[in-house]
Amino acid sequence: MSAKNPSLLGGALIIAGTIIGAGMFANPTATSGVWFIGSLVVLFYTWFSMLSSGLMLLEVNTHYPHGASFDTMVKDLLGRGWNAVNGIAVTFVLYLLTYAYIFVGGDLTAKGLGNLAGGTVGLPVGQLVFFAVLAFCVWASTYLVDRLTSVLIGGMVIAFFWATGGLLTNVQLPVLLDTQVTAGTQYWIYVAAALPVCLASFGFHGNVSSLLKYFNGDAPKVARALRLGTLIALMIYTLWQLAIQGNLPRNKFAPVIEAGGQVSVLIETLSKFVPTGSMNTVLSFFAYMAIASSFLGVTLGLFDYLADLFKWDDSAAGRTKTAALTFLPPLICCLLFPTGFVTVIGYVGLAATVWTALIPAMLLYKARKKFSENKGYRVYGGMWLIVWVFAFGVINIAAQILSQLEVVPVFKG
């Protein structure tokens, strides 16, 4: 159920769409302590490390049949114990993100339908409409996800530049470089708060096996899609940092931080320093398309993981069983407990670090020993890259734990 000749751009847009989700709006707030130069360093460090770990998964994946995902690879190379740990981490993150996207996307859908109908549409109706359309695309084929994601990404790019065009042309270097601060102002002491959020903003690893299957085992083409997709996301993130931190002074970030990076509060605070016009409305469109594209990418990864876990085939019956297990639990939880994810969302980054950094490094180390004679696709770097990515995971776990325990300094604006 895939295209005969899937396009490189389509694969890249699936990756970019998965990455650029609602987490984008948390980046300027999470990096306000380290500010613009520091945020670029953290973003580039995270981008390189997450891209590398994704390419590691790709290399390992080439040693297994098309459709094999984490369950097959981890069980074979690391054993049942690590497979259980990884399985819990993968399903926790992907189910919770699906749950959160149904809630947020359903809320925006309900408001949009209400405006069209000239009345009020209930949240459950919005959630069901949002869910039904996008879940059908994932069930139908990766190709349909590719096509719809391309449309959503195109709309996101237009909305992004429409919303931020005025901000980008009004960037003030003294604000961007924070030149008006008092002597002794510190930035890097706040890096621990920035790292976990940026890691969560570059998650795409659940889609690696999906793309390898979609591209009929063409690993070099998948690698190019991963590079292009993550670079698109990095460019959008960098421009967004430039637009926000080039107009809103660092010492005026307190209201935004107190509101947890809420978009409406961010725009309201920004409007005191630069005209924002229709930015709120346009960013609502951007957020909706970002949430929809992320929902498609996240659930595609979860879909293929569950298909591999239960060894369900790609027939209509097999895909229906996989779709039921992929979509019904988060939908039911969302309808019954619409805000329950708030209590556990803080642990997403911690769990994601396990299967986006630690496990890929361990898998590649074991795979290169077991498949030493294989001359197929190999990710750049040798042992140094494995150590780099594993250390990246350890650093992020430490940063998240220390931040949650409030052991490290927290920037308040």
Side-chain angles (χ1 to χ4, degrees):
M1 289 194 178
S2 63
K4 291 182 179 179
N5 296 298
S7 70
L8 173 63
L9 181 60
L13 291 179
I14 288 176
I15 296 300
T18 303
I19 293 173
I20 306 171
M24 171 180 169
F25 297 105
N27 282 346
T29 305
T31 61
S32 56
V34 295
W35 208 233
F36 183 67
I37 299 300
S39 71
L40 291 188
V41 173
V42 173
L43 282 171
F44 273 84
Y45 167 63
T46 303
W47 164 77
F48 174 76
S49 302
M50 292 289 274
L51 172 60
S52 298
S53 66
L55 293 172
M56 287 177 169
L57 285 177
L58 174 60
E59 179 181 329
V60 175
N61 221 159
T62 60
H63 302 304
Y64 296 90
H66 295 175
S69 188
F70 279 104
D71 181 69
T72 296
M73 296 186 294
V74 178
K75 188 186 297 179
D76 181 50
L77 294 173
L78 302 179
R80 293 186 178 276
W82 275 112
N83 190 44
V85 171
N86 188 72
I88 292 170
V90 169
T91 52
F92 173 77
V93 171
L94 297 185
Y95 267 131
L96 187 59
L97 288 177
T98 303
Y99 174 19
Y101 288 141
I102 292 174
F103 174 75
V104 179
D107 180 48
L108 292 172
T109 301
K111 290 177 181 176
L113 291 174
N115 291 334
L116 289 174
T120 301
V121 173
L123 177 61
V125 174
Q127 290 173 339
L128 287 170
V129 171
F130 177 85
F131 164 84
V133 173
L134 298 182
F136 170 78
C137 293
V138 176
W139 170 82
S141 71
T142 304
Y143 177 72
L144 193 54
V145 172
D146 172 348
R147 297 297 89 191
L148 182 55
T149 301
S150 300
V151 173
L152 291 170
I153 291 287
M156 285 167 59
V157 170
I158 293 170
F160 177 80
F161 284 105
W162 184 6
T164 62
L167 297 180
L168 290 170
T169 56
N170 281 291
V171 167
Q172 304 169 56
L173 281 179
V175 174
L176 188 68
L177 302 178
D178 202 26
T179 58
Q180 307 299 318
V181 295
T182 57
T185 298
Q186 294 182 301
Y187 297 90
W188 288 107
I189 60 173
Y190 303 112
V191 71
L195 281 168
V197 175
C198 289
L199 180 146
S201 298
F202 276 102
F204 63 88
H205 298 65
N207 298 103
V208 173
S209 61
S210 303
L211 281 191
L212 187 61
K213 178 182 175 183
Y214 182 46
F215 285 124
N216 302 309
D218 188 343
K221 190 173 183 180
V222 176
R224 292 195 296 273
L226 296 185
R227 293 192 190 97
L228 180 57
T230 56
L231 277 172
I232 291 171
L234 179 63
M235 180 190 73
I236 294 292
Y237 287 155
T238 300
L239 290 173
W240 180 241
Q241 294 289 115
L242 184 66
I244 301 302
Q245 295 182 347
N247 289 283
L248 179 58
R250 182 173 183 260
N251 61 2
K252 302 297 183 181
F253 244 89
V256 185
I257 295 171
E258 288 173 10
Q262 188 176 333
V263 178
S264 59
V265 177
L266 175 63
I267 295 170
E268 181 184 346
T269 309
L270 258 176
S271 65
K272 299 174 183 176
F273 301 91
V274 63
T276 53
S278 59
M279 186 177 176
N280 196 11
T281 302
V282 180
L283 279 182
S284 294
F285 282 111
F286 175 87
Y288 187 76
M289 289 180 283
I291 288 164
S293 63
S294 289
F295 175 90
L296 289 170
V298 164
T299 54
L300 178 63
L302 179 59
F303 185 96
D304 285 332
Y305 172 76
L306 293 174
D308 177 50
L309 178 64
F310 293 101
K311 311 306 177 192
W312 288 329
D313 61 26
D314 213 28
S315 65
R319 291 183 72 85
T320 299
K321 288 188 290 186
T322 307
L325 191 56
T326 300
F327 296 112
L328 291 183
L331 175 65
I332 292 169
C333 287
C334 196
L335 293 173
L336 296 179
F337 312 104
T339 58
F341 69 90
V342 175
T343 58
V344 288
I345 197 74
Y347 299 98
V348 164
L350 193 63
T353 305
V354 173
W355 57 278
T356 61
L358 301 183
I359 290 295
M362 295 164 66
L363 284 175
L364 185 62
Y365 178 76
K366 290 286 189 179
R368 286 189 172 173
K369 284 191 169 185
K370 181 172 182 176
F371 305 105
S372 58
E373 301 301 318
N374 189 284
K375 303 300 181 183
Y377 172 80
R378 285 177 72 89
V379 63
Y380 49 76
M383 191 64 192
W384 72 267
L385 189 67
I386 294 174
V387 172
W388 174 286
V389 170
F390 191 85
F392 167 76
V394 171
I395 290 168
N396 267 274
I397 288 174
Q400 290 174 73
I401 293 174
L402 293 174
S403 296
Q404 288 178 357
L405 296 176
E406 298 184 356
V407 174
V408 293
V410 177
F411 183 67
K412 300 293 186 182

